[in-house]
Amino acid sequence: MQIDLIAGARPNFMKIAPIIEAIEKASKEAKDISYRLVHTGQHYDKKMSGNFFDELGIPEPDINLEAGSGTQAEQTATIMTRYEKVLMENRPDLVMVVGDVTSTMACSIAAKKLNNIKVAHVEGGIRSGDLTMPEEINRMVTDAITDYFFTTSHTANDNLRRAGVREDHIFFVGNTMIDTLLKNKPRFKRPKVWEDLQLKEGKYIVMTLHRPANVDEEEKLRYLLQEIIDNSHGLPLVFPVHPRTAKVLEHLGITDSRLHTIEPLGYLEFNYLVAHSKAVITDSGGITEEATVLGIPCMTLRDNTERPETVDIGTNELVGTDPKNIKPAMDKLFAGAWKKGAVPELWDGHTAERIVEGLLGIGGGMGMLDSRF
Ligand code: UD1
């Protein structure tokens, strides 16, 4: 079975690394499976893309669509147009997409519309219910045309069943992002900022913000940051800044001796910082999963999550986007009253192996039934 594996933006790279490794292992064992790695180029900076390939040992992409930045529609259109050409030249048996970024949706559509090339979605079925987030649209559209769903949670399975997906097209496998986390934990690397700021174990907070709802309005971002600074009990706040946020921060000109903005970090350095921190404040989805597995308190500055298990089982709490909610959450943290959390089912480091097992089964029976009938 020939698979196209799609990656486009930063949170995709840690999800595909273990899948590639598991496919290569199966292929060496003479199983009928091979892949072609397609990088859409949605993220193109070294610090948003290239470093992750080096650090996680991901091979050079076979194809780079070099889509680059643009509006949602521009990015989608560029990726679709360029990927369609690739598919027309060489048609795989199946296209595997991961996560919820624009590349995920664009490549699924291109494949499915090209004479029904089968689509598999890793991290399928999750929903926030919040259609103001482009990622939610990407999830809904991708899942509406996906054939095989590889899921991270029981909630995802239930969402898919409710949408009428056949039981034998839902593969509850766990979380490939956690495969990467567990495998690389011994390699986490102390970043330079550790020495520069003389950070100490459990005595600083890590922060990431990039969602439009938090960063696109300057005054809202100013208020949020000020509340975080004022309630952090003097601990250093280490803030690796996403390019989108950097543009807004430049205008704000906030300077405070407790707030330390730095360039985006590589995977091993970022997770070193998280693993040794007192807490994480974020609006990312993936980081709530990593913090859960690392057992680090996590405050999510969003009103909803597509990953409810990080709240119900893990260390995550939805603090919301109202800056007034920061103080009570920080008070709870500093009172030592944050929940301990546990690790969700099957987030055990072996998800990619289960995915490949599933793929081999699908390959064996590739008569191709639609996922809903
Ligand atoms: C995308 C994903 C989001 C993910 C995030 C992680 C979608 C809809 N969103 O959002 O789910 O959490 O990636 O980073 O796919 N830029 C650079 N260098 C790069 C890439 C982007 O400077 O390598 C700039 C772009 O020019 C743009 C901004 O960052 O101004 C946003 O990039 P974009 O890919 O549109 O979406 P993200 O906000 O990164």
Side-chain angles (χ1 to χ4, degrees):
M1 177 198 259
Q2 171 67 35
I3 295 165
D4 267 9
L5 191 53
I6 310 294
R10 187 169 59 176
N12 288 164
F13 305 132
M14 39 293 229
K15 291 174 193 168
I16 59 155
I19 301 176
I20 290 176
E21 204 180 315
I23 293 179
E24 284 180 351
K25 181 164 174 278
S27 163
K28 278 196 195 108
E29 291 163 358
K31 306 263 171 58
D32 175 23
I33 190 162
S34 59
Y35 73 96
R36 177 169 73 165
L37 179 57
V38 180
H39 188 338
T40 65
Q42 179 181 340
H43 282 178
Y44 45 86
D45 278 356
K46 181 104 183 117
K47 56 185 188 244
M48 298 297 285
S49 171
N51 286 344
F52 292 83
F53 277 70
D54 298 341
E55 287 185 312
L56 301 177
I58 303 171
E60 282 288 305
D62 298 290
I63 291 155
N64 195 325
L65 304 177
E66 294 176 355
S69 296
T71 65
Q72 293 287 322
E74 283 165 351
Q75 270 184 338
T76 306
T78 308
I79 297 168
M80 281 181 67
T81 316
R82 296 188 183 171
Y83 186 46
E84 185 183 50
K85 275 206 186 82
V86 168
L87 288 171
M88 286 194 293
E89 279 161 21
N90 189 338
R91 184 188 163 99
D93 299 308
L94 181 135
V95 171
M96 175 167 262
V97 295
V98 301
D100 56 18
V101 302
T102 299
S103 306
T104 309
M105 175 187 74
C107 291
S108 315
I109 299 175
K112 198 68 189 167
K113 293 195 95 173
L114 205 65
N115 203 9
N116 199 15
I117 297 179
K118 298 298 163 190
V119 175
H121 184 196
V122 173
E123 204 188 272
I126 62 175
R127 295 287 183 275
S128 66
D130 178 356
L131 271 84
T132 64
M133 285 175 59
E135 292 82 359
E136 183 70 356
I137 318 252
N138 296 340
R139 290 181 202 113
M140 291 167 69
V141 174
T142 303
D143 284 350
I145 54 174
T146 286
D147 297 282
Y148 304 104
F149 299 85
F150 291 94
T151 64
T152 50
S153 68
H154 288 293
T155 313
N157 301 339
D158 291 342
N159 290 339
L160 292 170
R161 285 181 194 122
R162 264 200 304 279
V165 174
R166 291 165 50 122
E167 200 63 41
D168 58 348
H169 284 226
I170 303 172
F171 298 79
F172 176 37
V173 287
N175 193 326
T176 60
M177 200 167 197
I178 302 307
D179 285 10
T180 297
L181 189 79
L182 296 177
K183 180 179 171 196
N184 288 288
K185 207 170 159 203
R187 299 176 61 225
F188 289 171
K189 211 164 62 190
R190 191 178 269 198
K192 183 170 170 294
V193 66
W194 186 278
E195 311 300 340
D196 292 349
L197 301 179
Q198 309 216 331
L199 297 176
K200 293 196 180 58
E201 174 96 32
K203 295 270 188 296
Y204 62 92
I205 292 171
V206 180
M207 207 161 97
T208 82
L209 290 177
H210 74 282
R211 300 264 166 230
N214 287 326
V215 305
D216 282 2
E217 279 173 52
E218 290 188 9
E219 281 319 305
K220 171 109 178 266
L221 181 60
R222 182 196 300 283
Y223 188 8
L224 260 178
L225 288 176
Q226 203 55 56
E227 281 299 298
I228 294 171
I229 293 167
D230 290 347
N231 290 288
S232 58
H233 290 220
L235 291 192
L237 290 160
V238 187
F239 185 7
V241 182
H242 185 282
R244 172 182 210 111
T245 315
K247 289 179 195 163
V248 189
L249 274 182
E250 250 172 53
H251 290 272
L252 279 183
I254 290 190
T255 48
D256 188 293
S257 60
R258 291 159 293 183
L259 180 67
H260 306 280
T261 54
I262 57 174
E263 292 270 298
L265 291 170
Y267 180 82
L268 300 173
E269 294 188 329
F270 179 73
N271 280 295
Y272 182 97
L273 265 195
V274 171
H276 296 269
S277 68
K278 176 152 189 81
V280 180
I281 301 176
T282 189
D283 59 6
S284 149
I287 292 171
T288 66
E289 299 182 334
E290 291 167 338
T292 280
V293 172
L294 294 170
I296 299 295
C298 181
M299 301 178 198
T300 292
L301 304 189
R302 285 175 49 190
D303 297 313
N304 48 59
T305 176
E306 60 288 341
R307 295 162 164 90
E309 63 282 359
T310 62
V311 177
D312 302 338
I313 302 171
T315 57
N316 184 26
E317 263 194 35
L318 286 183
V319 172
T321 53
D322 183 345
K324 288 197 190 75
N325 298 345
I326 301 282
K327 185 176 181 337
M330 291 290 237
D331 286 349
K332 190 175 181 180
L333 175 74
F334 284 101
W338 205 268
K339 59 186 167 177
K340 291 282 168 270
V343 176
E345 191 179 343
L346 295 183
W347 292 19
D348 59 0
H350 297 287
T351 295
E353 295 155 36
R354 289 188 282 268
I355 289 176
V356 168
E357 251 170 60
L359 287 171
L360 290 169
I362 292 166
M366 245 177 169
M368 294 315 180
L369 294 160
D370 187 276
S371 67
R372 280 165 189 76
F373 302 102

